[in-house]
Amino acid sequence: MADTILEVRNITKCFNSKKVSVKALTDVSFDIGKGETIGIVGESGCGKTTLGRCIVRAIEATSGNVYYTTEDGRRVDFLKVSHTEMKKIRKDIQMIFQDPYSSLDPRMTVLDIISEPLKANFPKMSKAELEARVVEIAGKTGLNTSYLKRYPHAFSGGQRQRIGIARALVLHPKIIVCDEAVSALDVSIQAQVINLLKELQREMDLTYIFISHDLSVVEYISDRVGVMYLGRLVEYADTVDLYSDPKHPYTEALLSAVPVADPDVVVERLPLSGEIPNPANPPTGCYFHPRCRYCIDQCRETSPVLMDVGGGHFVACHRAHELKLKGIKYEAVALEAAGTTSRDGCPEVDHE
Amino acid sequence: MDRRTEDRVPVVQVKNLTIDIPMDEGVLTPVRGVSFSIHEGETLGLVGESGCGKSLTSKAILGINDKKCRTGGEILFSEADHVLDLLKLKYGSEEIRKIRGERASMIFQEPMVAFHPMYTIGAQINECTRLHITSDKVKSKEITLDMMKRVGIANAEKRYDQYPHEFSGGMLQRALIAMALVCRPALLIADEPTTALDVTIQAQILELMKSLQKEFDMSILFITHDLGVVANMCDRVAVMYLGKIVEEASVREIYKNPKHPYTKGLIGSVHKVGTHNQSKLFSIDGTVPLALNLPKRCGFYERCSSRIEGVCNRLEPGRTMLDDDHSVNCFLYDKENIHG
Ligand SMILES: Nc1ncnc2c1ncn2[C@@H]1O[C@H](COP(=O)(O)OP(=O)(O)OP(=O)(O)O)[C@@H](O)[C@H]1O
Ligand SMILES: Nc1ncnc2c1ncn2[C@@H]1O[C@H](COP(=O)(O)OP(=O)(O)OP(=O)(O)O)[C@@H](O)[C@H]1O
Ligand code: SF4
Ligand SMILES: [Mg+2]
Ligand SMILES: [Mg+2]
């Protein structure tokens, strides 16, 4: 497996206002390998965006660490590094936002928008070099250079998302957090942008954290997937492992709800009762217990911790070892290609 | 399940619907000759890219488009003993009001905007009941509460007196469905009814719509851009591109045997969960043009990789029937008319 580039450790984030305190993230921990794509899924309000923003330090986590292994092999806590170090490595971790419509300043030309991060990080860079870097990245992201002098309102959703991607890439980052980067786009345009992200990943050796509520897009693009529920990471595993053999009851319910684009596939739904609880007033014990069909007394009392149940498949559920849950049915060839069938006999996955 | 029956009269027939919108830069032609029909108990899916005219088409059926929209064609609605052309009815007339809300109703993507924030949910649903079913206060409230229970709103009596902001998105969509169905309409138009919801809530709402459809024997026009939802919900599918229906067939045909290059592209660009297919996604180059000063040619010409030069850029393809239940608008299947 690839070397670890990012170790997210016990990230907790509270939003405090006069009246209430919302714990948007509780003790989120996971590792990301260099060059990997990690998908993050979960229902609205479960903390996906907050997690992304904490990792890139668009907001400050209340507590926790994000250990980043730099290009030259040093392991630093991205959330606590010195000011001078931060100046050097901040550009390594960038974020692409959900809404291609509101995230671009309408008064700036495309050239200004893409070059802004360069100016901020390299104030002494010459105008010619700035432009050269922008043209290079525009080419990579499929933006015609004749567009550079125009304003963003003249562009379609797919083109705006390309501008957002170019802006995130111009500093040659190592890690990119993509927050619902294709969700607002039409399917045919989504495919263009997803293909582009994959190409760029290969070309520039990028690591992605891909946040989305679309489970089929996440399955396509991710090497590993994390499932969040009410601010906690409840399951984390290799993509096919998680989709075909989920170990957390919430993941099972989520997968059973995915609409499959094939009229011949009949999915047995496992409807979840109730709605996602209010994070200002979370349930006791396992946060999922009020909606869980497998809940036992222990679940109401103590909160399960995220544990490796074998082969790097992490789950936070008291009953993970005994439950036999339903996942998506894969054809045998697909499982084999993903190396999942051999897991039981001789583990190919490295253990730490 | 094959719902197709030639002898039954369709509940609604849209014939050559056109919508023009005068703008400063010229006349926008977002709907350019749309025809389809929906039979009793059938769900027709209307899919296509953002801006292709899905919402304008569906709103034309209910006569709720902006006043500045100029509408042409026919929208034939079957009543028990006669057929009405909804486009010929006078704006705000008794007849159109009877159709709208009573015989045909609509649910939208954003349930929040459909409700007035200052009135309770119950009062707003009950308004429909009183207007269309009974003016008897006690009976009316009974019917309203019953409907709220049917759509799965727990504690309906308590919920009746709550305001929209006290409902979650999923619950509000249920309330909106209750409001749309309380009059037992023959036709329900659902415009992206689950797009704003989480997958688990979406699955609940779709199941609910299916079971109510069976119970009330209602027809549904289901608008969405989600091909997974279409595969789940629809009997037939009409694929729209740039203001026209380019292909129409049974849901199975559309997924297994798509013919129009746009439909093929659309189906091909969706990753199917459970395949672990890692190859490059199929994608259609370019973007949809704006429906302004469109030249006479196939609307998909610019983005089409199978186009026939000299034909597709000179003429507009008409509808070709491939068999009883599969039609396509594309010169690749219309050899006769290629030469004008
Ligand atoms: N600035 C803020 N102040 C107070 N609460 C916040 C703030 N930002 C987020 N929250 C709360 O934190 C929780 C997590 O929000 P977040 O936006 O991370 O969810 P999400 O998983 O990205 O949801 P979505 O899928 O809707 O984008 C929510 O309950 C939200 O209301
Ligand atoms: N009131 C209006 N004034 C001007 N243009 C309009 C108006 N309503 C719709 N349009 C334009 O007509 C076209 C079709 O709009 P419509 O809302 O029917 O699209 P749609 O297929 O429902 O798209 P979406 O999937 O984004 O909802 C769009 O280009 C839209 O901008
Ligand atoms: S810990 Fe208990 S309540 Fe939570 S998911 Fe597992 S079985 Fe369900
Ligand atoms: Mg978010
Ligand atoms: Mg619409």
Side-chain angles (χ1 to χ4, degrees), chain B residues 211-260:
Chain B
S211 74
L212 292 172
Q213 172 176 36
K214 253 194 219 125
E215 198 181 328
F216 300 168
D217 206 11
M218 147 180 95
S219 308
I220 300 181
L221 175 60
F222 199 101
I223 297 170
T224 177
H225 63 269
D226 186 328
L227 291 167
V229 173
V230 175
N232 246 278
M233 284 298 287
C234 303
D235 302 309
R236 278 191 307 132
V237 182
V239 181
M240 221 171 146
Y241 190 84
L242 198 59
K244 288 196 165 178
I245 288 177
V246 296
E247 184 161 5
E248 188 188 328
S250 71
V251 66
R252 217 174 165 272
E253 248 326 81
I254 287 284
Y255 284 82
K256 304 291 167 174
N257 190 22
K259 292 295 185 195
H260 196 282

Side-chain angles (χ1 to χ4, degrees), chain A residues 42-45 48 156 158-159 183 185-192 194-195 198-199 213 215-217 219-223 239-240 243 250 253-265 267 269 271-276 291 328-331 334-335 337-338, chain B residues 48-51 54 159 168-171 174 195-204 206-207 210 225-232 234 251-253 255-256 262 265-288 303:
Chain A
E43 280 169 294
S44 183
K48 303 181 294 297
S156 68
Q159 287 168 327
S183 306
L185 306 174
D186 279 319
V187 268
S188 77
I189 311 294
Q190 260 189 28
Q192 290 175 8
I194 292 170
N195 286 337
K198 280 197 127 182
E199 265 163 45
H213 64 269
L215 285 125
S216 79
V217 170
E219 191 223 21
Y220 176 72
I221 204 165
S222 312
D223 301 304
T239 305
V240 175
Y243 278 66
Y250 175 62
L254 206 57
L255 291 172
S256 87
V258 179
V260 183
D262 184 339
D264 287 347
V265 175
V267 185
R269 306 250 178 252
L272 271 184
S273 54
E275 315 236 339
I276 194 164
R291 299 171 78 189
I328 303 263
K329 271 210 189 72
Y330 282 77
E331 282 160 21
L335 286 179
Chain B
E49 246 147 295
S50 183
K54 304 182 294 295
R159 292 295 211 162
S168 68
M171 270 305 146
R174 283 174 194 266
T195 307
L197 305 174
D198 281 315
V199 275
T200 58
I201 311 292
Q202 165 171 285
Q204 290 171 10
L206 295 180
E207 287 308 313
K210 273 195 213 167
H225 63 269
D226 186 328
L227 291 167
V229 173
V230 175
N232 246 278
C234 303
V251 66
R252 217 174 165 272
E253 248 326 81
Y255 284 82
K256 304 291 167 174
Y262 174 66
L266 206 60
I267 302 286
S269 56
V270 179
H271 167 73
K272 217 162 74 190
V273 75
T275 54
H276 191 60
N277 186 351
Q278 299 280 285
S279 53
K280 200 170 157 191
L281 287 177
F282 187 85
S283 74
I284 309 171
D285 287 339
T287 50
V288 192
R303 302 176 71 190

Side-chain angles (χ1 to χ4, degrees), chain A residues 245-301:
Chain A
D245 187 17
K247 302 276 190 206
H248 195 284
Y250 175 62
T251 311
E252 180 187 49
L254 206 57
L255 291 172
S256 87
V258 179
V260 183
D262 184 339
D264 287 347
V265 175
V266 183
V267 185
E268 191 199 334
R269 306 250 178 252
L270 300 166
L272 271 184
S273 54
E275 315 236 339
I276 194 164
N278 180 356
N281 184 21
T284 56
C286 171
Y287 281 1
F288 187 57
H289 90 255
R291 299 171 78 189
C292 182
R293 63 180 67 226
Y294 308 104
C295 174
I296 52 175
D297 285 346
Q298 188 189 5
C299 308
R300 282 182 270 272
E301 286 146 23

Side-chain angles (χ1 to χ4, degrees), chain B residues 261 297-298 300-301 304-315 317 330-335 337-339:
Chain B
R297 65 182 186 200
C298 170
F300 192 56
Y301 168 78
C304 184
S305 52
S306 321
R307 62 193 180 195
I308 312 169
E309 295 296 344
V311 177
C312 305
N313 54 338
R314 249 179 0 98
L315 302 166
C330 169
F331 284 118
L332 296 173
Y333 308 93
D334 184 17
K335 305 285 187 234
N337 286 315
I338 278 183
H339 303 292

